Amino acid sequence: MGGLQFFCTAVDEPQGDLELLVESMKAMNAKSDPTEEERKGGSGHIGKMIFSAGTEQLAVVAYVPEEKQGQLSCEEWLPTGPKREGG
């Protein structure tokens, strides 16, 4: 089965700011501390595309882990997200 390999999601707080969205991606990929009560990050092994809409622009960031780059490249995957949403 293999579990979750790739996903797309929206992030509200960056409000279309690309730099903040990149920081959101870094936080998602950060190693988590299993001793913490509330785990954060820990999804660096999963490919993801995240969106953030602001009043002026839509920011999109994609990440494909090195071990999955043979299956999928960001350059090919990135244009498919906005197209699916009519953009």
Side-chain angles (χ1 to χ4, degrees), residues 49 51 58 76-87:
M49 186 183 310
F51 304 85
L58 172 67
E76 294 173 3
W77 189 29
L78 194 56
T80 65
K83 285 180 185 175
R84 289 182 52 179
E85 300 302 321

Side-chain angles (χ1 to χ4, degrees), residues 4 6-14 21 24-25 28-29 43 46-53 58-63 77-78 81-82 84-85:
L4 181 67
F6 302 94
F7 72 92
C8 298
T9 192
V11 182
D12 293 330
E13 283 306 312
L21 193 60
S24 297
M25 180 69 78
M28 290 177 178
N29 291 338
S43 69
I46 299 171
K48 60 191 78 62
M49 186 183 310
I50 55 176
F51 304 85
S52 179
L58 172 67
V60 182
V61 175
Y63 167 79
W77 189 29
L78 194 56
R84 289 182 52 179
E85 300 302 321

Side-chain angles (χ1 to χ4, degrees), residues 63-79:
Y63 167 79
V64 177
E66 192 172 324
E67 63 271 11
K68 292 188 175 36
Q69 289 177 7
Q71 298 173 311
L72 179 71
S73 76
C74 284
E75 290 82 11
E76 294 173 3
W77 189 29
L78 194 56

